[in-house]
């Protein structure tokens, strides 16, 4: 199975901050990498697919990058509604594994 | 709009089985696969398996092989996930998700609202 390692597992930030979350795959996944946002009691919501493509309707302050095994999710200017947990996911091979999540909290 | 609506919360005893439904609307059901993912309380996301809604072919995570069965009813645009021999560690929110794809890649969008399954004696 491909292991997905996210860092950090949690962080505190302020509105307006720029933040970057990283996700490392245990093997090459050829940009089969997606990012989701989850708020308490809600289902995950797709933000970024195929490593860097912004899902329709998602604000442009979200961006994704990376290739091969190392990927990033960047929020250019954190907004109040962005406080949530973020997960990466690989769909290169089954089982489709997720990172452990990054909880973004208000400083 | 594309939507997945899941069945309601369940409480089961250890050793029992549970069957969760996922009704799709807003698109042609047999065109896109449906995946099942679970999330234990306060934990991360765990992929369980998927069904090709056109052919009915399934692939399961090795972790759940032998205990999980995913099926679909094309006439009802509904997918089902049945988990047997339940134990307390199976207490979780179970999600279905529609697979989307493009440029040779695939992702999950949208997700159902989730179904809480509680296993308790």
């Amino acid at each position: 199975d491909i292991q997905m390692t996210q860092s950090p597992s949690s962080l505190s930030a302020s509105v307006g901050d720029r933040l970057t979350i990283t996700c490392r795959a245990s093997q090459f996944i050829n940009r089969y990498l997606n990012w989701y946002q989850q708020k308490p009691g809600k289902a995950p919501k797709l933000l970024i697919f195929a490593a860097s493509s912004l899902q329709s309707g998602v604000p442009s302050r979200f961006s994704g990058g990376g290739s091969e095994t190392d990927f990033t999710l960047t929020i250019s200017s954190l907004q109040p509604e962005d406080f949530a947990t973020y997960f990466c996911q690989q769909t290169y091979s089954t089982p489709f594994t997720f990172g452990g999540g990054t909880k973004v909290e208000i400083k | 709009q594309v939507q997945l609506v899941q069945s309601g919360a369940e409480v089961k005893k250890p050793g029992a089985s549970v069957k969760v439904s996922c009704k799709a609307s807003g698109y042609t059901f047999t065109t896109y696969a449906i995946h099942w993912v679970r999330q234990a309380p306060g934990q991360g996301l765990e992929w369980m398996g998927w069904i090709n809604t056109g052919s009915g072919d399934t692939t399961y995570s090795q972790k759940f092989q032998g205990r999980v069965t995913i099926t679909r009813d094309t006439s009802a645009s509904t997918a089902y996930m049945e988990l047997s021999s339940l134990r307390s560690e199976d207490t979780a929110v179970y999600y279905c998700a529609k697979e989307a794809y493009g440029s040779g890649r695939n992702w999950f969008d949208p997700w159902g609202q989730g179904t809480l399954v509680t296993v308790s004696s």
Side-chain angles (χ1 to χ4, degrees), chain B residues 42-102:
Chain B
Q43 301 301 308
L45 300 166
E46 184 173 34
W47 180 82
M48 301 179 69
W50 70 283
I51 186 165
N52 179 319
T53 49
S55 66
D57 290 343
T58 54
T59 300
Y60 302 127
S61 168
Q62 193 80 351
K63 175 174 179 176
F64 300 100
Q65 196 82 32
R67 281 210 304 144
V68 69
T69 305
I70 299 174
T71 56
R72 95 292 191 218
D73 178 349
T74 57
S75 66
S77 297
T78 301
Y80 303 90
M81 186 284 300
E82 184 169 22
L83 189 62
S84 62
S85 303
L86 290 168
R87 35 211 189 226
S88 58
E89 310 90 87
D90 294 317
T91 293
V93 176
Y94 290 77
Y95 294 102
C96 61
K98 170 184 163 291
E99 182 175 289
Y101 52 83

Side-chain angles (χ1 to χ4, degrees), chain A residues 30 32 36 38 55 91 96, chain B residues 39 47 104-106 108-109 112:
Chain A
N30 197 20
Y32 281 77
Y36 300 89
Q38 186 179 36
Q55 170 67 347
T91 53
F96 291 158
Chain B
Q39 185 172 38
W47 180 82
R105 306 291 188 277
N106 54 332
F108 296 177
D109 180 64

Side-chain angles (χ1 to χ4, degrees), chain A residues 12-106:
Chain A
S12 295
S14 300
V15 172
D17 283 354
R18 177 185 181 89
L19 68 85
T20 298
I21 298 167
T22 65
C23 182
R24 173 166 288 176
S26 61
Q27 65 182 73
F28 172 76
I29 59 170
N30 197 20
R31 298 174 63 86
Y32 281 77
L33 189 284
N34 309 310
W35 290 97
Y36 300 89
Q37 176 194 66
Q38 186 179 36
K39 296 183 178 179
K42 298 296 186 181
K45 171 190 169 185
L46 178 71
L47 297 176
I48 301 284
F49 60 92
S52 60
S53 295
L54 189 68
Q55 170 67 347
S56 175
V58 173
S60 59
R61 62 181 179 272
F62 292 92
S63 64
S67 62
E68 299 195 3
T69 60
D70 293 317
F71 301 88
T72 58
L73 173 69
T74 298
I75 308 175
S76 60
S77 178
L78 201 63
Q79 297 302 301
E81 59 268 30
D82 301 337
F83 292 95
T85 300
Y86 295 85
F87 294 95
C88 62
Q89 176 204 33
Q90 67 81 19
T91 53
Y92 183 73
S93 66
T94 59
F96 291 158
T97 45
F98 294 83
T102 296
K103 186 173 184 179
V104 177
E105 297 176 304
I106 302 172

